[in-house]
Amino acid sequence: MHQLKIIDALLIDEQSTDAEKLLTTIDTNQLNKEELAFYELLTIQKSWQLYHPIKKNSTINRCIGYFYQQKDFSKLARAYYYKGELLFYQGKQKESVISYKQAEKIVPQKDWWLRHHIYEALAYANQKDRAYALSLQYSRASLYLSQKLHKPDWEAYAYHMMASNFEGLGRHDSTEIYTKLVISLLPKMTEKGKKYILTSLGSYYQVKDSKVLDTLMQTALQQPNNGAATLFMAGLRYNQGRKVEAYDLLNQVEATEYGKNNLSLIQAKRDMKMGDGDYRAANDLSMQIMALKDSFQQVRARQNLQTVQKEFNRRVEQEKIFRLISYAIMGIVFLSMFIIAVVFYYKYRTLHLHKLLDQDRRQITQLNQQVKMAQLVPDTEEVTQEEKEKRIKMLHHKIINIEERHSGILAIGRLRYMDIKEEKTTIMWGKMDFNAFAEYYKLIDIEFMHHLEEDYDSLTDKNKTLLILESMKLPCERIALIMGVSQGAIRTARSRIEKKHKLTPPCE
């Protein structure tokens, strides 16, 4: 594992050749599962850095399966990234982007190296798909990380990507600005980085500024095997009237591997022959171009067919996701509206019930007073005992009818009040029982309950029950038995109530 970590550090530092030498010294038969998965991941990484990408998915899928099972998200993110690279190399652009996004989702925040590579890959994939605005976002993200990592080659490539995206968006002034930023980084770049960037800049300055192109291509030609730069310089020298030098440069390209079946090379030779008036040679070269284009066209036709199918699949997937999102939003909206309606309904219902309860409570109080007055009326010839009892019974019947209108809350309160009178415990009482008891007691002593609500803040129904029991002149020992707690707990609860407002002394 120690040796594998050394190879990992070499690859991150892009010392691929040294990493490859060390990898060949490792006996895979001696590796455990964790080491073997790491070894295979490093082998894949080395292959990509040396431009010898693997062609099968089995190895990378095996790595993904192991790291996912072990929850090793750092290595899993790297495996997803290289799977994305492999899929992109195979022409499976949609699947590659999915792998890149999976890597982006789980890559550790501080793994700047891998995060940069993911953003760079997503920028390139989106640019190939002409999603320039999205590519620009990823290019900016990769630029930020390349600057934090102090990597001029990466920084120059990010600027180049941004310039290309601005060109695609039609913002040519921004393209010029970011292209100049690329040029300003050339002195800090490695030879490998310069070779790539100078070749890319040649395409831009070929039609923009021949003087800048001349300077850039001379710099590019100082590096060996730069076929694209040689072609740019050949065209420039021909336009300057230096034809012998231009043909020499074309012959140099033709003698290299880069020059075989190179459409740009044949087109450049054809254009020069046309300029020289050698139409027979130009015609032969045009025939070569047509034959070469036909072979390219067949390849493109197959690729276009694949692209159409991928685009169809992508749109179907997008429509499916859009429908799911729409259904989810509609569900959330309807659920929210339903919850709001229920809340308002219950709020209204509660206020309405409280209003009716207050009205009926006053009516019950008046009826109770009438009962007392009826009981005090002396028996006479005009008012017999039987008539008194009949009137009292009628008044009680009215009270019961009013109580029953409130889903039995006052009836329940009356039962709980009778329990208290009989000194039964409240241990089995629920929240509704305490509330019903407090509401019913307003019928017994409305003045006390009024002061209770006025003089105390945020009293629970259980707190109210304790104060009501005290108002009923019950001793602390009896209250503790009824409440089903110790006398100490009663004193503690009373002390907490006193902190809100001292109204009556605690029970002894």
Side-chain angles (χ1 to χ4, degrees), residues 369-396:
Q369 289 175 352
Q370 291 178 30
V371 169
K372 290 180 182 178
M373 290 176 62
Q375 290 172 340
L376 294 174
V377 174
D379 295 340
T380 62
E381 291 182 1
E382 296 177 358
V383 182
T384 63
Q385 180 65 27
E386 185 180 349
E387 289 175 342
K388 279 171 55 178
E389 290 177 357
K390 186 177 179 181
R391 176 168 173 73
I392 291 169
K393 186 177 180 180
M394 181 190 68
L395 292 170
H396 279 303

Side-chain angles (χ1 to χ4, degrees), residues 414-431:
R414 183 153 56 113
L415 291 173
R416 299 292 83 87
Y417 177 73
M418 295 306 295
D419 289 343
I420 295 295
K421 294 292 284 183
E422 295 171 8
E423 297 187 5
K424 293 181 180 178
T425 182
T426 63
I427 293 174
M428 301 301 292
W429 283 19
K431 187 176 180 181

Side-chain angles (χ1 to χ4, degrees), residues 360-368 399 402 410 443:
D360 289 343
R361 189 182 292 114
R362 286 193 293 269
Q363 190 175 352
I364 290 171
T365 302
Q366 293 172 1
L367 290 170
N368 280 325
I399 291 171
I402 293 171
L410 295 181
L443 302 178

Side-chain angles (χ1 to χ4, degrees), residues 153-375:
D153 286 8
W154 297 359
E155 188 177 351
Y157 182 73
Y159 279 134
H160 175 60
M161 286 291 293
M162 293 172 74
S164 301
N165 287 321
F166 280 123
E167 188 72 15
L169 292 168
R171 295 169 59 179
H172 306 300
D173 291 344
S174 296
T175 303
E176 192 70 28
I177 291 169
Y178 283 97
T179 303
K180 288 179 179 177
L181 286 171
V182 175
I183 296 171
S184 70
L185 283 169
L186 286 172
K188 301 178 183 178
M189 294 172 66
T190 64
E191 295 304 312
K192 179 181 175 183
K194 283 180 184 177
K195 184 176 180 179
Y196 175 80
I197 287 296
L198 286 169
T199 302
S200 299
L201 289 174
S203 301
Y204 180 72
Y205 279 106
Q206 189 174 25
V207 295
K208 287 283 184 181
D209 192 325
S210 60
K211 290 183 179 179
V212 175
L213 177 65
D214 197 336
T215 304
L216 288 172
M217 291 306 105
Q218 285 188 41
T219 305
L221 288 173
Q222 293 172 9
Q223 301 167 62
N225 302 322
N226 199 337
T230 308
L231 283 178
F232 284 125
M233 184 60 83
L236 185 63
R237 290 290 177 257
Y238 188 88
N239 292 333
Q240 291 171 343
R242 299 159 64 175
K243 296 183 179 181
V244 175
E245 191 176 345
Y247 279 112
D248 285 342
L249 290 169
L250 288 182
N251 291 334
Q252 289 177 28
V253 176
E254 197 166 19
T256 65
E257 186 69 24
Y258 179 81
K260 292 181 180 178
N261 295 321
N262 190 310
L263 185 62
S264 299
L265 170 63
I266 300 172
Q267 287 175 332
K269 287 179 71 174
R270 190 269 315 270
D271 292 344
M272 288 184 189
K273 292 296 182 183
M274 288 284 290
D276 294 341
D278 188 351
Y279 299 113
R280 178 174 291 181
N283 184 62
D284 291 341
L285 290 166
S286 295
M287 295 298 290
Q288 289 183 39
I289 291 170
M290 289 176 65
L292 196 58
K293 281 186 174 180
D294 285 343
S295 64
F296 287 160
Q297 191 64 36
Q298 291 175 7
V299 175
R300 286 198 190 100
R302 290 195 296 271
Q303 291 177 342
N304 288 339
L305 181 61
Q306 293 174 2
T307 302
V308 168
Q309 293 177 67
K310 288 176 185 176
E311 179 65 19
F312 177 79
N313 291 336
R314 186 173 69 85
R315 289 185 179 180
V316 168
E317 193 67 25
Q318 284 180 337
E319 289 174 2
K320 182 179 177 182
I321 292 169
F322 179 75
R323 282 198 303 272
L324 290 173
I325 292 172
S326 300
Y327 293 151
I329 292 172
M330 288 172 62
I332 291 169
V333 169
F334 283 127
L335 181 61
S336 301
M337 291 175 64
F338 175 74
I339 291 170
I340 291 169
V342 169
V343 169
F344 275 107
Y345 169 73
Y346 277 107
K347 200 167 185 180
Y348 165 78
R349 188 169 177 267
T350 302
L351 290 172
H352 183 65
L353 287 174
H354 275 295
K355 185 178 178 181
L356 290 176
L357 189 59
D358 287 339
Q359 291 175 355
D360 289 343
R361 189 182 292 114
R362 286 193 293 269
Q363 190 175 352
I364 290 171
T365 302
Q366 293 172 1
L367 290 170
N368 280 325
Q369 289 175 352
Q370 291 178 30
V371 169
K372 290 180 182 178
M373 290 176 62
Q375 290 172 340

Side-chain angles (χ1 to χ4, degrees), residues 395-414:
L395 292 170
H396 279 303
H397 184 68
K398 285 185 178 180
I399 291 171
I400 291 169
N401 286 339
I402 293 171
E403 289 174 351
E404 289 176 349
R405 281 212 300 265
H406 299 282
S407 301
I409 188 168
L410 295 181
I412 293 170
R414 183 153 56 113

